[in-house]
Amino acid sequence: MRSDYNSASFAGSLAIVRNKKPFTDGEYAKTFMLDVANELFDDLPNKDKIMKRIQDMPLLARTVHDRTVMMANQVEETQVKDINAATFFSLALDESTDVSHISQFSVIARYASGDTLREESLAVLPMKGSTRGEDLFKSFMEFTQEKNLPMDKLLSVCTDGAPCMVGKNKGFVALLREHEKRPILSFHCILHQEALCAQMFDGQLDEVMLLVIRVINFIVARALKDRQFKTLLDEVENHYHGLLLHRNVRWLSRGKVLSRFGACLNEIWTFLEMKGIEYPELAETEWLLKIYYLVDITEHLNQLNVKMQGIGNTVLSLQQAVFAFENKLEVFIMDLKTGRLLHFEKLKQFKDAYTASEPTQKLDLHQLAAFTSSLLKLFKSRFGEFCEHTRLFKFITHPIECSLNAVDLSYITGVSIRDFEAEVADLKASDMWGNKFKSLNEDLESIARQKAELANQLIIKTWNALPVTYHTLQRVSIAVLTMFGSTYACEQSFSHLKNIKSNLRSRLTDESLNACMKLNLTKYQPDYKAISKFMQHQKSH
């Protein structure tokens, strides 16, 4: 009976935390259940027994807090145990400021456990002072020593590329390498680099974006004008019901803002005319070419960004997405030069309308092709560390084709180039295992992007199926699979952080915040039945 009460209390506490509700909602939940049960079970002979069980279930705020911490601690113990059992692990690191102006340092680990590639939040470390590289490193090392993490198994680190992370002498990565006295791979988040490419590229079209923001602010910043403009859109039966404000902190914001602006351009012109505001650029052919080009190209950039988001993407899949986009940019350049505009929907619509009204005039699209060439150069100048290790990344799916050298393998402890080359030679000579990897790649092609977890599991299972004679190759493949190519998981943790530690819950203790974050981000299921067996039942008062 005690175990039933405790298990129910743990289940209720877990539901409260995972719905990001305050601990005090436990008593509300109990009141809700009692009110519902009173009506729902009115015709049952054991109604009183049911009501009493609900009444006696412990769900006081302190109880919910304590059970949350217990479950989080259990999950953490499982994480540390699995990391210690893993061959390697890698980290994604980032820091952000919460609603209380405390910097929170997010530590996400990726490691293989059996046939599963796990991506787990180890901690969100509060940084209440400065956030220099030394401060982040000290806080991180104190955490690893307290939890007994096997730092000799740490393979790579992915960061946002901030100076405090990648500074040459005092950056987090430099201090980590110095402490471990061995090479550790470091990656600059591929999503962040893609966003930087887009921002630098947009700099060539600043006059377009600045005018868009100015017009949007004129309409949206004042409530009356915003309402009047929305009324105009409704009257003309426009698909949209208003404009969007641009927010630089959001990866996809610019593309959505431009798309909405382009779709409402005729109504914007009419509205400004009604208000006696003149922006002659909105009627200039050259400016309109640029705005519609910008709408289309940012849509392509957003599609790339979305493709690279998500949990579980390997460095190989992220790198291939970038390389594929570079190939697309070359196609886009030719598309603009020939004037076909097969890949620029909004620009083509404008061109067709303009040609219909001005049949003797021709639009010059070479400047737009030059803009696209500039964007391609930006892409090719970035992602250096990803290009450098292309063969290493591709090894997980094409081991027979990828000949790695000592530099590629220097980061992976316990692997010698001699053993590696010998095992690759054996693998090439094996028809059975050669066909196994051919089958693997065929299966991977049929798996959609959003099934990254399934793809990873398929790759790990294939490698784990190899006999022990391929031990070195297995170590290399597992090592590559653990590598992070982006800090997307950290961004996700900060999103949860904002929901948990909001303006209404700004006084959460570090212990409580960490426990809530742990239970919201983990894929491990807390075994609260095991915890409840060792607890004494306490009635709620």
Side-chain angles (χ1 to χ4, degrees):
M1 182 66 71
R2 288 177 179 175
S3 179
D4 290 340
Y5 281 119
N6 280 328
S7 294
S9 179
F10 274 106
S13 300
L14 186 60
I16 289 168
V17 170
R18 284 188 168 166
N19 282 283
K20 302 174 184 64
K21 299 299 182 183
F23 299 140
T24 51
D25 274 13
E27 283 299 289
Y28 161 73
K30 187 194 289 191
T31 302
F32 172 82
M33 285 189 286
L34 285 168
D35 289 345
V36 171
N38 188 48
E39 300 297 329
L40 191 61
F41 306 122
D42 193 45
D43 59 337
L44 297 184
N46 61 340
K47 173 187 171 182
D48 291 342
K49 187 178 179 180
I50 294 173
M51 298 291 286
K52 181 141 189 346
R53 285 204 176 186
I54 296 173
Q55 183 63 52
D56 289 346
M57 181 173 55
L59 276 178
L60 287 171
R62 186 70 212 176
T63 304
V64 175
H65 167 270
D66 292 345
R67 277 149 173 64
T68 298
V69 172
M70 287 178 192
M71 288 186 286
N73 288 341
Q74 186 196 57
V75 167
E76 187 174 81
E77 288 172 8
T78 307
Q79 289 173 335
V80 173
K81 179 183 174 183
D82 284 354
I83 290 174
N84 274 280
T87 310
F88 301 102
F89 75 100
S90 294
L91 296 173
L93 306 169
D94 202 356
E95 61 97 9
S96 182
T97 304
D98 67 24
V99 70
S100 300
H101 304 293
I102 296 173
S103 180
Q104 302 285 356
F105 185 28
S106 179
V107 181
I108 311 287
R110 182 186 281 175
Y111 52 94
S113 177
D115 288 337
T116 303
L117 189 66
R118 293 199 173 272
E119 204 163 294
E120 289 284 317
S121 173
L122 297 186
V124 178
L125 305 174
M127 305 295 298
K128 297 180 180 177
S130 57
T131 55
R132 300 168 302 171
E134 302 101 304
D135 304 311
L136 297 173
F137 177 71
K138 180 183 176 183
S139 178
F140 172 76
M141 290 309 299
E142 287 174 352
F143 169 76
T144 60
Q145 289 163 12
E146 179 189 348
K147 305 302 177 185
N148 294 316
L149 288 176
M151 292 302 291
D152 58 317
K153 295 183 177 183
L154 177 60
L155 178 72
S156 70
V157 175
C158 184
T159 72
D160 64 350
C164 65
M165 290 290 188
V166 297
K168 185 177 180 181
N169 298 314
K170 297 296 182 181
F172 178 92
V173 176
L175 294 170
L176 183 62
R177 286 171 175 161
E178 183 183 341
H179 182 272
E180 294 299 308
K181 296 181 173 57
R182 63 183 175 86
I184 295 175
L185 278 166
S186 172
F187 298 108
H188 181 182
C189 171
I190 203 166
L191 277 165
H192 187 255
Q193 292 193 78
E194 187 260 354
L196 288 175
C197 284
Q199 287 176 15
M200 292 169 68
F201 158 73
D202 283 348
Q204 298 181 334
L205 297 159
D206 266 350
E207 78 281 0
V208 177
M209 198 66 204
L210 287 173
L211 181 57
V212 168
I213 293 171
R214 202 180 308 141
V215 171
I216 290 174
N217 285 341
F218 171 78
I219 296 173
V220 177
R222 300 269 178 112
L224 176 60
K225 291 191 181 74
D226 190 31
R227 290 196 302 270
Q228 290 172 337
F229 183 69
K230 288 177 179 177
T231 300
L232 174 62
L233 290 176
D234 289 339
E235 287 175 354
V236 298
E237 296 182 351
N238 190 293
H239 177 68
Y240 296 107
H241 302 288
L243 298 176
L244 299 174
L245 284 170
H246 174 52
R247 294 177 290 177
N248 268 317
V249 294
R250 292 286 184 178
W251 282 330
L252 307 180
S253 172
R254 182 167 299 196
K256 291 178 180 178
V257 167
L258 284 166
S259 179
R260 183 72 61 88
F261 187 91
C264 301
L265 195 54
N266 289 334
E267 290 78 12
I268 289 170
W269 175 261
T270 302
F271 186 78
L272 293 175
E273 201 172 37
M274 287 165 54
K275 295 295 181 182
I277 304 296
E278 292 186 5
Y279 285 110
E281 297 96 325
L282 298 182
E284 291 176 1
T285 303
E286 186 178 349
W287 190 90
L288 290 170
L289 276 175
K290 289 179 180 178
I291 183 65
Y292 286 116
Y293 164 77
L294 207 49
V295 168
D296 286 327
I297 199 68
T298 50
E299 175 63 24
H300 289 303
L301 284 164
N302 280 1
Q303 288 174 5
L304 170 63
N305 198 292
V306 170
K307 188 176 183 178
M308 294 193 296
Q309 289 182 26
I311 302 296
N313 285 324
T314 62
V315 279
L316 176 63
S317 64
L318 292 172
Q319 182 197 54
Q320 288 176 336
V322 169
F323 287 175
F325 188 74
E326 289 178 4
N327 293 336
K328 284 183 180 179
L329 286 174
E330 292 178 351
V331 173
F332 295 165
I333 293 167
M334 188 57 62
D335 194 32
L336 288 163
K337 286 181 177 178
T338 58
R340 294 184 306 167
L341 303 184
L342 301 177
H343 303 278
F344 294 85
E345 180 185 355
K346 301 302 179 185
L347 183 59
K348 187 176 190 311
Q349 288 174 3
F350 171 72
K351 179 194 172 188
D352 291 346
Y354 180 83
T355 304
S357 62
E358 301 285 345
T360 59
Q361 300 293 322
K362 284 192 174 182
L363 295 175
D364 185 6
L365 302 176
H366 283 83
Q367 186 183 26
L368 304 183
F371 288 148
T372 314
S373 296
S374 175
L375 180 59
L376 178 59
K377 288 177 183 176
L378 285 170
F379 266 78
K380 288 189 177 296
S381 67
R382 283 196 170 271
F383 314 105
E385 68 270 45
F386 290 96
C387 296
E388 183 182 346
H389 300 290
T390 297
R391 292 180 304 175
L392 181 61
F393 299 159
K394 195 176 179 182
F395 178 81
I396 59 174
T397 54
H398 296 76
I400 296 174
E401 301 171 20
C402 296
S403 58
L404 307 184
N405 55 34
V407 175
D408 294 318
L409 300 174
S410 64
Y411 299 93
I412 306 171
T413 56
V415 170
S416 73
I417 186 70
R418 184 190 66 184
D419 293 341
F420 176 84
E421 289 176 345
E423 290 181 21
V424 167
D426 287 343
L427 193 66
K428 285 182 178 179
S430 170
D431 290 338
M432 182 179 74
W433 293 112
N435 290 333
K436 189 77 173 176
F437 281 99
K438 182 180 178 182
S439 174
L440 167 66
N441 285 287
E442 289 173 354
D443 290 340
L444 289 174
E445 287 179 9
S446 67
I447 295 175
R449 181 202 66 85
Q450 58 265 34
K451 295 182 180 177
E453 187 176 339
L454 182 60
N456 294 338
Q457 191 177 54
L458 184 60
I459 295 171
I460 292 178
K461 278 185 175 180
T462 302
W463 279 104
N464 285 345
L466 265 66
V468 70
T469 51
Y470 297 110
H471 173 71
T472 300
L473 304 189
Q474 287 173 326
R475 287 180 68 84
V476 174
S477 64
I478 296 300
V480 176
L481 280 167
T482 67
M483 296 176 188
F484 280 100
S486 79
T487 58
Y488 179 80
C490 295
E491 294 292 335
Q492 288 294 96
S493 73
F494 292 139
S495 177
H496 282 282
L497 175 65
K498 289 174 183 175
N499 289 327
I500 293 168
K501 193 173 183 180
S502 61
N503 286 320
L504 299 176
R505 297 184 74 194
S506 60
R507 297 179 67 183
L508 272 175
T509 65
D510 296 336
E511 180 188 48
S512 299
L513 178 61
N514 240 311
C516 291
M517 291 286 289
K518 181 81 71 178
L519 294 179
N520 271 281
L521 294 169
T522 187
K523 287 191 176 178
Y524 290 104
Q525 181 64 27
D527 185 3
Y528 46 75
K529 288 186 181 293
I531 303 174
S532 66
K533 285 180 182 178
F534 301 98
M535 293 182 58
Q536 182 178 359
H537 169 60
Q538 295 177 345
K539 290 186 178 181
S540 175
H541 297 289

